[in-house]
Every structure is written in structure tokens, then in C-alpha cells.
Amino acid sequence: MTDKSKSRITRENPPKTLPLGDADWLRQRSCQVVFEALEAGGYEARAVGGAVRNTLMRLPVADVDIATPARPGEVSELAKSAGLDVHETGIAHGTLTIVSLGVAYEVTTLRRDVSTDGRRATVAFTDDWLEDAKRRDFTINAIYCDRDGKLYDPLRGCEDIAQRRVRFIGSAEQRIREDYLRILRFFRFFAVYSDSAIDATGAAACEKERDGITQLSGERIRAELLKLLVAPRAVDALKVMEQTSILMRSLEQVAAVSTLEKLVEIERENGLWPDSIRRLAALIAPKAGCIQKLAHRLRLSNAEGKQLSNACRGQGPDYKTSVLGAKTGLYKYGLTAYRDDCLISWARSNARPNDPDWMRALQIAEDWQVPEMPLKGSDLLALGVPAGPDVGSILAEFEQWWIDSGFVADTELQRNKLNGLVAKFGRAKE
């Protein structure tokens, strides 16, 4: 009988030669067709980066990147000859997207950096796999495998995977200066993939080069930060970022990591999935200026900006102490805004993560079916109310009465109230 335990990745058994031939993504016909197309031209091809890393870590694989010495023009010709669609998504950096049997694969020519400015790099193509590996950011992202699953690990990334450790390749400071986004990537990768202490050399280099964050666009910061916020060790990463002023550079305002830590505890206690915008809201002061500044800084979408603002309404205490207040919040703002505001307010309070009053407020959102306003403008027109401002005024006053009455469902009470309002506005016109 085969001892399957020998194939498991452990600290005592780092996967130096573990083949990936049984990986689902590698066995897929769509992936093998891409390898075959490149090899038909006499070129070697290897998967690299996230697909290999996540497979070794027994994590889901989202997409597959393939590296090859073939130049972009040759990659394009070979792919088209194999009947595959080709899209020049990153041609300036040697990257083409090849669609095989409906699946997209990024194929990139081996590269080395010629010059960098902290945001982008000028590259030259190479035939040297080691040169290509050395220009990458972290050792765990520089592991390759061929179409049969054989690993190529020139920078000992497998050992770092076995240790659940994130390390820069070569000089951490040099890697960061090539692209200052790597500061945020370092902390995100730590939050996602590491279960050991943060690499001190890498953290020190990030702190030293932190001013480079000011060169980054808000969109790039946003992309990394929102992924980091929902990572398993987000709080651990953000604490280091706070201590080293990296978080301040990223948000351009003081962050309340302790509030986020409390929110994470509440989410876990109550079985809630993390939400990046909600967690972002926990980091900032609930002031309009801070909210608007951050939304602009990170180039949030209109929907994200609205969610951020709603999460900071600060009406959670009303939801906790009053059932009607909770139902009113749900009716006016919707489930997401209600839940976010409730959770953020809870995190800013001194209440425990299993506080029964706050838990009750959360449960109302699950148990109560939000009703529809029982009166429409067409109903008023049918009663002979002329079109105009009176329609809106009557609707507004009726709705407020209906809410204050606890969303009364008694149709006779509703009719009496409506008749009274119609008569009131009619008399006011006389």
C-alpha cells in the first residue's frame, strides 16, 4: 500500500520534488492544449505563480499563468495555428491571453528588468529561467512546473511554502523599489498564506521604503487593501502596518485597527462572512470628511462609497435598544446597510462579541420580512387627489405614520388614516 502521508506538505517534509501531475487544473484538456501548442514550436513551457503555489498549499486555484522562452509574436502564431484565440492584453510586457476551450490562460515570455521607477518596469526578454525567477517578488511565486507536474524551484520557494513563510526574492529593498505596490502585497500575502511570524527582513524593508506608497495610484492601493482586509490574518498584518506607519501612508488618515479586530471577533462569533468594505469602515473615524477622503483616496466605486458611508451611520445603538428602531433601519436602508451599521456600532462599543442585545438586533434582519409601503401615488390619484406636490406630501406623511405605528398591516386603520390626510390637505386648499 502506498504511504500517502509522504506526499503531504508539512514543515518536516517540504515539497522539494512533489509532482503536481494530479492537479485538476493541470490535467484539464484546455491547459494541456496550450502546452502542446507552445511545444509544437520547440519551446518549453511551465506554469508559474499562483496556480503552482496554491496547489502546493492545498488552496483553490483561480487562474493559470504560463511562462515560456518563446517571444510574444511566436506565442501568438503558435496559438493561432492550434486554433486558439489570442488577445494582446499585456503585449508591452510580453503577456498574451490565450483562450483554450473557453478557458483563459496568460502566457508570458521569460523576462528580466532593464529599468524600474517604483510603479512600472521596462523589460527585456530572455531565455534564462533563473533570470525570470529572480525578477519576481516572493520565493513562493517563483516555483514552476511543467505539463507533467514536475517542479522547478530555483529559489527554494517550496521550503518557504512548507514553513508557511513569505519572503522577498534577493534584496527586499530592491524588490520593493522596483514596484512599491510590493509593500502592500507583502502584507497581503502574509495575511493570506502565512501561519508563522512575519519575515522581519521583509517588514523592515517595507518600513524603510514606505514613502514610496505615495507614488501608487489609488486604484492599485484599493485592489491590494480590499483583498488584505478579508484575509485570514488581516488583523496581524494591519497591526504591523499600523506600527510602521505603512497603514497611515496607505489610507492617508489614522486607522483604528483595534475596532477592526473587535469586528473580526464579532463576525467569527456570529458566523458571518467578512466583507471588505465593512472592514474598511471599521478602520476609519465615522465622520463625513474621513469617509469622503478615503473613498476618493482609494477610488472607490459609487456603490462602494455608498456602502462605506452607510456602514458609518452610527445608528446601531438604536437598532440594539429598539425593535421598532431596528425595523425602521432595515426598511429605510436595506439589509446590507443595516447589518454593516449594526456590526460597526457593535465593534465600537464595549460589548462582548456574544452580547445578547446586539445578537438580537442582528437576528431581526434574518427573521423580519421587510414590508412594502402600502400606499402609492396612483392610489391617491384614484381618490381624486390632483397630480402635484400634495401627492408627495400625503405619501410622506402617511409613510411616517405607518412606520411610527410599527408598520401596521390593518387595512382599515390605513384607510382611515389615508382618508384623514386627503381631507386635511383638501381643507388646506380651500
Side-chain angles (χ1 to χ4, degrees), residues 89 103 194 197 318 415:
T89 49
V103 181
S194 178
D318 294 336
R415 184 165 51 251

Side-chain angles (χ1 to χ4, degrees), residues 243-254:
Q243 293 163 4
T244 55
S245 296
I246 290 170
L247 191 54
M248 168 68 88
R249 297 295 196 283
S250 301
L251 301 179
E252 293 186 344
Q253 58 183 282
V254 175

Side-chain angles (χ1 to χ4, degrees), residues 213-232:
I213 292 174
T214 60
Q215 297 186 27
L216 300 174
S217 68
E219 290 86 352
R220 298 187 78 199
I221 294 173
R222 170 196 172 280
E224 286 298 325
L225 190 59
L226 294 188
K227 292 176 185 176
L228 191 161
L229 283 169
V230 295

Side-chain angles (χ1 to χ4, degrees), residues 68-377:
T68 178
R71 300 312 192 248
E74 296 166 314
V75 171
S76 180
E77 289 182 10
L78 290 169
K80 290 176 181 178
S81 295
L84 306 177
D85 292 331
V86 178
H87 303 278
E88 296 183 353
T89 49
I91 190 68
H93 293 89
T95 300
L96 299 173
T97 298
I98 295 178
V99 180
S100 172
L101 302 178
V103 181
Y105 296 86
E106 282 200 351
V107 179
T108 303
T109 302
L110 301 184
R111 301 172 292 181
R112 60 180 175 82
D113 289 335
V114 175
S115 64
T116 59
D117 62 6
R119 291 180 296 174
R120 62 184 69 84
T122 301
V123 301
F125 301 133
T126 179
D127 297 325
D128 191 326
W129 289 92
L130 182 58
E131 272 193 315
D132 184 77
K134 286 182 175 180
R135 71 172 300 275
R136 297 177 182 271
D137 48 10
F138 311 120
T139 59
I140 61 174
N141 288 340
I143 307 170
Y144 305 76
C145 80
D146 63 19
R147 64 181 298 184
D148 298 317
K150 181 180 178 181
L151 291 179
Y152 299 84
D153 182 18
L155 302 176
R156 301 172 64 183
C158 287
E159 292 182 15
D160 287 327
I161 282 180
Q163 297 294 327
R164 292 298 191 269
R165 179 175 57 203
V166 178
R167 286 192 308 116
F168 282 103
I169 292 170
S171 166
E173 292 177 17
Q174 182 178 339
R175 294 286 81 74
I176 291 170
R177 289 170 189 161
E178 291 166 355
D179 185 352
Y180 288 108
L181 191 68
R182 287 174 173 173
I183 293 175
L184 300 183
R185 282 176 60 81
F186 173 75
F187 287 101
R188 174 168 71 88
F189 271 63
F190 164 76
V192 173
Y193 298 110
S194 178
D195 63 7
S196 57
I198 197 165
D199 179 65
T201 300
C206 289
E207 181 178 10
K208 182 178 179 181
E209 301 295 332
R210 64 193 175 195
D211 288 345
I213 292 174
T214 60
Q215 297 186 27
L216 300 174
S217 68
E219 290 86 352
R220 298 187 78 199
I221 294 173
R222 170 196 172 280
E224 286 298 325
L225 190 59
L226 294 188
K227 292 176 185 176
L228 191 161
L229 283 169
V230 295
R233 296 189 66 187
V235 172
D236 293 335
L238 289 166
K239 283 182 177 179
V240 180
M241 293 173 70
E242 182 182 38
Q243 293 163 4
T244 55
S245 296
I246 290 170
L247 191 54
M248 168 68 88
R249 297 295 196 283
S250 301
L251 301 179
E252 293 186 344
Q253 58 183 282
V254 175
V257 177
S258 59
T259 302
L260 175 61
E261 184 173 21
K262 179 75 174 293
L263 173 62
V264 171
E265 292 173 357
I266 293 169
E267 290 173 342
R268 288 173 179 167
E269 179 70 26
N270 292 277
L272 298 173
W273 286 102
D275 179 272
S276 57
I277 299 297
R278 181 201 302 150
R279 289 190 172 186
L280 183 63
L283 284 176
I284 61 174
K287 300 176 182 177
C290 295
I291 297 166
Q292 294 168 1
K293 180 181 178 182
L294 186 61
H296 177 74
R297 163 66 171 158
L298 299 183
R299 301 294 190 270
L300 298 182
S301 68
N302 290 337
E304 290 168 338
K306 183 177 180 181
Q307 183 185 351
L308 185 70
S309 180
N310 283 338
C312 295
R313 283 183 181 274
Q315 295 181 322
D318 294 336
Y319 305 156
K320 183 191 75 165
T321 57
S322 166
V323 172
L324 180 56
K327 290 181 176 180
T328 300
L330 269 168
Y331 171 74
K332 285 185 174 181
Y333 307 119
L335 177 59
T336 298
Y338 172 85
R339 181 185 288 134
D340 287 351
D341 192 2
C342 191
L343 289 168
I344 296 298
S345 298
W346 186 353
R348 290 191 175 120
S349 74
N350 294 320
R352 301 185 310 274
N354 61 351
D355 181 271
D357 293 330
W358 282 110
M359 292 177 72
R360 190 180 308 114
L362 273 184
Q363 191 60 38
I364 287 174
E366 304 298 328
D367 296 340
W368 186 59
Q369 181 66 42
V370 179
E372 290 187 10
M373 163 71 158
L375 180 64
K376 299 181 176 63

